[in-house]
Amino acid sequence: MEIYKKSITELSDLLNKKTISSVEMTNYFLERIKTHDSKLNSFITINDRFALKKAAEADKKISNNEHHLLTGIPIAHKDLFSTKNILTTCGSKMLKNYKPPFDATVVKKLDDIGMVNIGKTNMDEFAMGSSNESSYFGVVKNPWNLDKVPGGSSGGSAAAVAACLSPVATGSDTGGSIRQPASFCGLTGLKPTYSSVSRYGMIAYASSLDQGGPIGKSAEDCAILYNEINGYDPNDSTSNHEQKIEKIKLNFTKENASKIRIGIPLEYFSKNLDQSISDEIFKSIDVFKKLGFKIKEISLPNHNFTIPAYYIIASAEASSNLSRYDGVKFGYRCKDPKNLEELYFKTRKEGFGKEVKKRVMIGAYALSSGYYDEYYIRALKIRRIIRDSFLAAFKDVDFIFAPTSPTTAFNIGEKTSNAVDMYLSDIYTTPVNLAGLPALSIPVGYSNNLPVGLQIIGNYFSESGILNIAHFYQKNTEWHLKVPKEFDNE
Amino acid sequence: MSDWESVIGLEIHVQLLTKSKIFSASSTSYGSNPNKQASYIDLGMPGTLPILNKSVIKKAVEFGLAINAKIAKQSIFARKNYFYPDLPKNYQISQLDHPIVEGGFVSISDKGNEKIINITRAHLEEDAGKSIHSNENNCTYIDLNRAGTPLLEIVSEPEISSAHEAVLYMKKIHKIVTFLKICDGNMQEGSFRCDANVSVRKKGENRLGTRTELKNINSFRFVEKAINYEIDRQIEILEEGKEIIQETRLYDENKNITKSMRTKEEANDYRYFPDPDLLPIDIDEEYIQDIKRTLPDMPDVKMKFYKDEYKLNDEQINIILSSFDIMQFLEKVIITTKIEPKKIVNYFISSLYIKINKENYDLNDKNIEPQEFCHIIEALESNKISKNNLKKIIDELFLKKDSVDKIIDNLSVKNGNDDKFIDDLIEEIIINNKKQVDDYKNGKTKILGFFVGQVLKKAKNYDPSLIKEKIIKALEDI
């Protein structure tokens, strides 16, 4: 039946027709995790007991006809979403035994409609990384080539969905952490408009940039999930309650396409970009042209300042957000500290990994007196310039197409010794976070047998347009249907 | 005369009177078991986010308007980063560059001389928890009940020039916040406490001397003592030709000295930055005007009114304005009765005020209604009861056994106004004491005391002045 390949709608159909129960479906995916995850290391916690109980409840709802499209469908959550009484590690030794007493809003919303949380996925420690190599729980491997990284920081979620160990997963995107792993793993991943998805219960990395979103096989799956997780949350003061977000309907036609102007920012196709990726992107742009979209070149000036600005702002916020891990109240505590100072020093020295320590130090430095204006304030100015350049572009075009990443998935260990190289892999994704815009990555081809992602960037709250464009493309192409060979079997 | 002058600025921490904390729904009430009032937000659990309690904005704006300050159209919360075990997130949410209240002033009056003290700013912030150090088992316990309690920090300009002025200023602010009912003013429970920045310089010098900061002083008496000690300490050091070290010092109330806590070199770099978890507070003019309309008169306005309209003297005014409750109580009485305000205030001072002060009560503790006090003083004014009985009535009122009307009734029966018993008694005494009556008739009016005494022997607790009147009348009638 090839259940692993199926979309959410198809799975829901099977449950509806009682071809298969949610318990069976859940067991099926748990079995796949057991069979395959030793190769990938995409899960930190497998949630079998809770999941089967939840699936049984879902089956009851389905037979009582009290269900939602997503009832009984398995999902995996990135391990920074708090799950009540279920280990939530954030990929860190600091929280390796931490069980939150409450659910994140995103988790709760999906739980309430009966989705089955089958496990918590691996990630870069505290979401700091672009390759999933900084996790305390080990490196995650790319299902398309086990020598390659899956991208980060939502690498576990991407690897799990790409290997069909879960039909869909949640991720979070601070500088590209949904889109880049989606791109590396041949998936569709949505980074929503900042404020549209509640951050409550999502363990913070950089509060003004963090945004939760779905990673799935298709735009359709992402849209279904996004429809459920967005919305105002009184527990998150920064969550949007001015803009009413309608449920997204994927009903796009050629007629609609002809009215849409797409901008191609020339700066995003410079020497940083692999030629083969550029080629694949332009091939896909030709497809969009054929589908009726109007394509034009645009300019997004000053985006070369994005990476330093991003790393200063994100690290500054992180240095403060991560202060609470001190061994006093929860999480890891060092053994036998002699005094308070040693409790702090040893706990944080032993509990945090290298990348986290580096960013906490960068951030503390950028905020310290005498450097604040020079670093933090200047970074904020660049942030404003980036946002304004996007808004100026959106006067001319409706959406922007860009590569998601300058390279395809790279080798494990290839960039760990060169921080700048690693940070530059976020060059096309971070501007979107600085501006707070929504963007989606979709697979549009292959380079050396590794997936290439196209990024569709829209204006604030234009998720409906973005997902419709992607869905329209996916209806006419098959890149999103491909499954890595090793995992393409029952 | 000393040729030194001191320069003092105060930072007063006012705990805002709210039911719940500034960023969570936990209760702010005092004295419950440790950590019973700490939610996931107060604990800084990963993934939790602060939610602003909107009532603190109103209270801050009320204070700003009361001191004639500017209310910021947009104010911003910032994080003040430092590590301390009773600060759960290891940063305090406060305000730095854009406080909610800017500028403003109060006036203080020292022996009739008015002086303006300018207020730099007042900003909102969350309180920390408490660390309780135990010597017994070499442990520190942490109680986070207080963590997240809303504070308004009021920062004065360094325009205070003596410990005495500092106390007057602090009392003025105390009066304003309690009149506004934005703070309960309870200094024992730490609802109102202050830090003092103290420096000294030679008279005529324009430059400020190096200052020290005295932390967490929570009584008017200690503020005066701590500042005076610190001024003397600094002058002594400077006169020895040494330099003052900029540092934070702690006042030891038992020894009446200040001790160094940390020097500037050890001071934290707080790495302030705008809190990305909270939106800026936007306040429009309409909101400010709405609050302005409901604002009670401030003590200074009241003071002038009492002086001009009620013809009260300074001492009386000070007593009325010593607390909001007393002021409100007396104003209700003044409105309810026709008795002139001056008399009302005197009755009050000589009875209820003495009683609550002597027995350390709050006016509200015994739920005595202004209406009840009106009845009492009206009964006094109409001579229904003797003025000697005032104290007794108040005592009975505090016992709360009988209603005020019953208490008055009990006493007025014996007043003898229309009492046949008294009239008969007087007649009997006149008949039995012919000689004394003759003496009186011959002009020996001093003998009146004898008659009054005779009557009172048999009729205790009666109003002598009334009896005296009755006797005079009876003697005249012979």
Side-chain angles (χ1 to χ4, degrees):
Chain A
M1 207 158 40
E2 291 190 327
I3 288 171
Y4 64 94
K5 277 188 172 173
K6 297 208 182 308
S7 72
I8 290 176
T9 319
E10 288 164 343
L11 292 174
S12 183
D13 212 38
L14 292 176
L15 292 175
N16 249 337
K17 289 189 182 132
K18 311 229 162 50
T19 315
I20 170 175
S21 72
S22 172
V23 170
E24 286 165 331
M25 190 182 285
T26 302
N27 261 323
Y28 174 90
F29 282 102
L30 289 170
E31 272 309 310
R32 278 189 72 86
I33 295 171
K34 260 177 223 157
T35 314
H36 293 296
D37 202 43
S38 54
K39 287 169 261 176
L40 298 171
N41 193 28
S42 67
F43 280 86
I44 291 174
T45 302
I46 298 160
N47 198 20
D48 31 11
R49 223 157 34 89
F50 278 106
L52 289 169
K53 212 177 130 226
K54 186 77 193 172
E57 283 170 26
D59 282 330
K60 211 172 274 169
K61 276 189 188 167
I62 292 166
S63 43
N64 291 343
N65 240 340
E66 294 163 346
H67 60 291
H68 179 278
L69 177 67
L70 285 166
T71 309
I73 308 284
I75 186 169
H77 290 299
K78 184 175 182 177
D79 211 17
L80 55 55
F81 286 98
S82 299
T83 42
K84 190 173 177 176
N85 299 327
I86 298 168
L87 217 55
T88 300
T89 69
C90 220
S92 180
K93 182 182 178 185
M94 192 61 94
L95 292 176
K96 68 173 183 177
N97 294 317
Y98 173 66
K99 286 183 181 169
F102 61 96
D103 277 323
T105 299
V106 165
V107 170
K108 174 121 189 17
K109 283 186 162 191
L110 297 176
D111 199 59
D112 284 349
I113 53 172
M115 282 200 99
V116 178
N117 168 15
I118 53 171
K120 305 294 293 290
T121 59
N122 205 338
M123 57 183 283
D124 278 302
E125 186 178 7
F126 282 100
M128 297 177 189
S130 313
S131 65
N132 222 306
E133 292 168 289
S134 78
S135 169
Y136 173 70
F137 299 90
V139 177
V140 178
K141 289 166 187 160
N142 190 318
W144 291 92
N145 179 338
L146 298 175
D147 294 329
K148 307 277 178 184
V149 301
S153 63
S154 312
S157 287
V161 177
C164 305
L165 309 187
S166 177
V168 66
T170 53
S172 71
D173 192 316
T174 306
S177 285
I178 286 176
R179 289 160 290 157
Q180 187 248 25
S183 148
F184 279 15
C185 292
L187 298 169
T188 304
L190 173 69
K191 183 255 157 198
T193 305
Y194 182 80
S195 81
S196 66
V197 175
S198 167
R199 292 185 295 115
Y200 181 74
M202 210 173 94
I203 298 179
Y205 158 24
S207 313
S208 76
L209 300 161
D210 293 346
Q211 189 61 202
I215 296 180
K217 293 203 258 311
S218 66
E220 188 190 70
D221 285 359
C222 286
I224 291 169
L225 216 65
Y226 177 68
N227 276 340
E228 299 311 318
I229 61 175
N230 73 46
Y232 172 65
D233 179 6
N235 287 322
D236 176 359
S237 316
T238 62
S239 88
N240 157 61
H241 65 290
E242 279 156 13
Q243 187 85 21
K244 180 151 172 35
I245 304 176
E246 303 283 346
K247 291 262 186 254
I248 293 169
K249 290 196 183 79
L250 299 177
N251 49 11
F252 211 73
T253 63
K254 197 144 189 171
E255 173 80 29
N256 296 111
S258 66
K259 287 180 193 139
I260 288 181
R261 301 161 301 167
I262 306 285
I264 310 291
L266 292 180
E267 291 87 348
Y268 281 54
F269 292 85
S270 67
K271 61 174 170 40
N272 289 319
L273 183 66
D274 262 17
Q275 188 55 46
S276 63
I277 291 182
S278 178
D279 293 346
E280 291 304 315
I281 299 271
F282 276 107
K283 269 190 241 166
S284 77
I285 288 171
D286 282 339
V287 175
F288 278 102
K289 267 185 200 161
K290 276 180 201 136
L291 290 172
F293 292 91
K294 291 200 185 73
I295 311 284
K296 68 181 272 191
E297 287 177 359
I298 58 162
S299 172
L300 289 174
N302 298 315
H303 281 217
N304 50 329
F305 296 122
T306 299
I307 291 292
Y310 167 79
Y311 276 94
I312 284 167
I313 292 168
S315 303
E317 293 180 12
S319 74
S320 174
N321 282 334
L322 270 60
S323 292
R324 70 191 64 198
Y325 307 105
D326 58 3
V328 174
K329 306 156 295 271
F330 42 72
Y332 178 78
R333 178 186 285 186
C334 70
K335 281 208 178 76
D336 307 320
K338 285 194 201 73
N339 51 37
L340 179 63
E341 200 140 288
E342 200 178 286
L343 168 72
Y344 287 156
F345 278 121
K346 275 178 76 182
T347 296
R348 290 169 69 81
K349 186 180 171 216
E350 294 162 14
F352 286 143
K354 204 174 133 201
E355 185 62 29
V356 171
K357 281 180 208 159
K358 184 167 31 176
R359 294 198 199 185
V360 166
M361 282 191 280
I362 292 172
Y365 182 80
L367 289 176
S368 59
S369 104
Y371 299 98
Y372 181 80
D373 289 340
E374 198 177 331
Y375 291 104
Y376 186 73
I377 293 294
R378 273 173 87 187
L380 290 187
K381 281 181 188 154
I382 293 171
R383 184 176 192 168
R384 210 166 308 129
I385 290 169
I386 304 279
R387 188 199 58 195
D388 291 348
S389 72
F390 273 120
L391 294 182
F394 285 128
K395 283 183 182 148
D396 271 343
V397 296
D398 302 303
F399 296 90
I400 294 166
F401 282 2
T404 304
S405 170
T407 65
T408 52
F410 43 85
N411 287 325
I412 290 168
E414 185 182 330
K415 296 188 178 181
T416 40
S417 55
N418 189 337
V420 174
D421 239 27
M422 182 75 95
Y423 291 178
L424 281 175
S425 65
D426 300 328
I427 190 165
Y428 303 134
T429 46
T430 45
V432 170
N433 298 82
L434 289 179
L437 294 168
L440 182 82
S441 179
I442 53 168
V444 293
Y446 288 83
S447 161
N448 291 323
N449 297 319
L450 288 166
V452 170
L454 168 77
Q455 197 179 188
I456 306 174
I457 304 164
N459 210 333
Y460 298 108
F461 301 104
S462 67
E463 281 83 351
S464 174
I466 291 174
L467 287 161
N468 263 296
I469 291 169
H471 180 62
F472 192 55
Y473 173 81
Q474 289 180 340
K475 276 207 301 194
N476 290 284
T477 53
E478 293 189 333
W479 302 111
H480 64 292
L481 299 177
K482 301 208 179 307
V483 175
K485 233 189 216 120
E486 197 161 349
F487 303 92
D488 196 2
N489 47 61
E490 296 262 20
Chain B
M1 267 303 262
S2 160
D3 50 357
W4 295 96
E5 65 178 8
S6 42
V7 179
I8 301 156
L10 293 190
E11 292 167 17
I12 298 178
H13 290 89
V14 168
Q15 185 177 316
L16 294 175
L17 200 53
T18 55
K19 286 196 187 73
S20 58
K21 293 185 177 176
I22 183 167
F23 298 121
S24 82
S26 313
S27 165
T28 52
S29 64
Y30 181 82
S32 76
N33 285 336
N35 297 313
K36 285 290 171 211
Q37 286 170 188
S39 68
Y40 304 146
I41 295 176
D42 308 322
L43 259 58
M45 299 290 277
T48 55
L49 297 166
I51 303 299
L52 179 65
N53 176 349
K54 294 223 167 61
S55 74
V56 302
I57 299 173
K58 180 161 181 271
K59 291 179 165 54
V61 170
E62 285 175 343
F63 176 75
L65 293 174
I67 59 158
N68 304 298
K70 200 182 116 205
I71 308 299
K73 294 232 173 333
Q74 184 173 75
S75 69
I76 289 174
F77 284 108
R79 293 185 185 175
K80 181 180 182 181
N81 294 285
Y82 64 97
F83 278 77
Y84 206 73
D86 58 27
L87 186 69
K89 302 183 292 292
N90 287 319
Y91 61 79
Q92 178 193 28
I93 303 176
S94 179
Q95 298 191 302
L96 180 72
D97 289 335
H98 304 275
I100 188 158
V101 173
E102 279 174 293
F105 63 88
V106 295
S107 72
I108 55 174
S109 170
D110 190 7
K111 293 171 201 109
N113 296 322
E114 291 286 319
K115 179 175 175 181
I116 298 286
I117 306 290
N118 286 295
I119 290 170
T120 320
R121 57 185 279 155
H123 67 254
L124 290 165
E125 62 183 26
E126 57 178 343
D127 208 344
K130 279 179 188 164
S131 296
I132 301 136
H133 305 287
S134 158
N135 290 328
E136 219 171 279
N137 44 8
N138 197 22
C139 251
T140 298
Y141 297 92
I142 294 166
D143 178 4
L144 295 177
N145 282 349
R146 200 182 64 181
T149 300
L151 297 178
L152 186 68
E153 179 174 332
I154 302 160
V155 183
S156 83
E157 288 290 312
E159 294 175 346
I160 298 163
S161 39
S162 71
H164 180 61
E165 271 186 24
V167 173
L168 292 174
Y169 166 77
M170 211 173 151
K171 281 186 171 164
K172 186 47 124 351
I173 298 291
H174 188 266
K175 198 160 282 181
I176 291 171
V177 297
T178 51
F179 265 56
L180 289 170
K181 300 212 158 179
I182 61 173
C183 173
D184 66 13
N186 189 326
M187 295 173 85
Q188 276 96 48
E189 290 175 7
S191 303
F192 189 92
R193 52 190 200 260
C194 102
D195 301 341
N197 288 301
V198 180
S199 68
V200 298
R201 63 182 170 194
K202 278 263 158 71
K203 275 181 185 154
E205 173 72 61
N206 283 327
R207 257 185 0 178
L208 289 170
T210 306
R211 67 185 160 86
T212 56
E213 187 181 9
L214 308 178
K215 274 271 176 211
N216 258 332
I217 323 173
N218 64 352
S219 92
F220 295 127
R221 199 157 55 93
F222 293 150
V223 165
E224 185 149 15
K225 284 184 162 184
I227 292 174
N228 274 333
Y229 174 87
E230 187 55 23
I231 290 169
D232 290 346
R233 190 188 70 89
Q234 291 189 12
I235 291 174
E236 203 178 302
I237 291 173
L238 292 172
E239 285 187 337
E240 284 170 11
K242 294 186 204 148
E243 279 182 11
I244 305 295
I245 304 163
Q246 185 174 341
E247 62 186 350
T248 303
R249 298 180 69 85
L250 216 53
Y251 177 66
D252 181 334
E253 47 204 48
N254 297 318
K255 295 181 189 153
N256 186 29
I257 54 166
T258 64
K259 290 186 294 197
S260 179
M261 206 170 132
R262 56 172 180 264
T263 62
K264 195 191 171 194
E265 283 71 38
E266 299 166 76
N268 284 304
D269 176 354
Y270 291 119
R271 292 176 282 116
Y272 277 100
F273 75 107
D275 191 331
D277 287 334
L278 288 159
L279 299 175
I281 307 170
D282 291 313
I283 297 175
D284 59 25
E285 195 52 38
E286 199 184 332
Y287 180 81
I288 296 172
Q289 290 308 327
D290 280 351
I291 291 180
K292 225 176 216 168
R293 271 191 287 277
T294 59
L295 219 55
D297 280 340
M298 282 300 100
D300 286 354
V301 178
K302 292 274 181 200
M303 200 179 279
K304 193 168 165 356
F305 181 79
Y306 294 152
K307 207 170 223 160
D308 296 349
E309 300 294 319
Y310 292 166
K311 314 288 177 206
L312 300 180
N313 64 33
D314 285 352
E315 195 199 344
Q316 290 168 323
I317 292 172
N318 279 337
I319 288 175
I320 300 182
L321 294 180
S322 63
S323 91
F324 184 84
D325 293 335
I326 290 178
M327 179 210 72
Q328 211 175 36
F329 182 88
L330 282 172
E331 289 207 339
K332 280 183 187 159
V333 176
I334 290 170
I335 292 166
T336 319
T337 168
K338 285 196 181 105
I339 301 169
E340 65 175 306
K342 215 173 183 147
K343 272 193 175 167
I344 295 173
V345 175
N346 283 337
Y347 277 131
F348 175 80
I349 293 173
S350 64
S351 60
L352 215 48
Y353 185 70
I354 290 181
K355 176 86 175 171
I356 57 175
N357 275 322
K358 208 166 106 193
E359 302 187 8
N360 231 336
Y361 280 119
D362 227 31
L363 188 57
N364 287 333
D365 287 349
K366 289 283 172 183
N367 291 322
I368 293 171
E369 292 294 324
Q371 207 68 32
E372 295 177 311
F373 191 68
C374 271
H375 285 184
I376 296 168
I377 57 175
E378 276 168 354
L380 289 170
E381 279 293 297
S382 63
N383 282 327
K384 201 174 166 196
I385 45 174
S386 147
K387 295 199 171 65
N388 295 350
N389 283 327
L390 180 54
K391 201 182 145 289
K392 200 172 165 188
I393 294 172
I394 298 295
D395 287 344
E396 294 221 5
L397 204 56
F398 265 59
L399 295 175
K400 282 273 156 192
K401 271 191 201 141
D402 288 331
S403 74
V404 75
D405 288 339
K406 188 138 184 254
I407 296 168
I408 292 172
D409 261 7
N410 287 344
L411 288 163
S412 64
V413 172
K414 297 179 189 169
N415 201 329
N417 214 354
D418 304 306
D419 197 335
K420 200 163 173 298
F421 166 67
I422 289 291
D423 292 343
D424 291 348
L425 197 64
I426 290 172
E427 207 184 315
E428 188 192 320
I429 287 164
I430 289 175
I431 291 165
N432 294 339
N433 295 284
K434 281 258 166 20
K435 188 181 171 290
Q436 283 81 352
V437 173
D438 288 344
D439 287 354
Y440 179 81
K441 289 280 183 191
N442 292 329
K444 265 181 96 177
T445 46
K446 269 189 187 167
I447 203 83
L448 257 179
F450 164 78
F451 289 106
V452 175
Q454 289 295 311
V455 174
L456 284 180
K457 252 189 209 167
K458 294 191 174 172
K460 282 174 184 141
N461 289 332
Y462 283 69
D463 182 357
S465 63
L466 222 113
I467 295 198
K468 193 171 161 190
E469 269 173 44
K470 276 181 173 288
I471 293 171
I472 293 171
K473 201 164 171 292
L475 288 169
E476 305 283 284
D477 287 349
I478 294 171

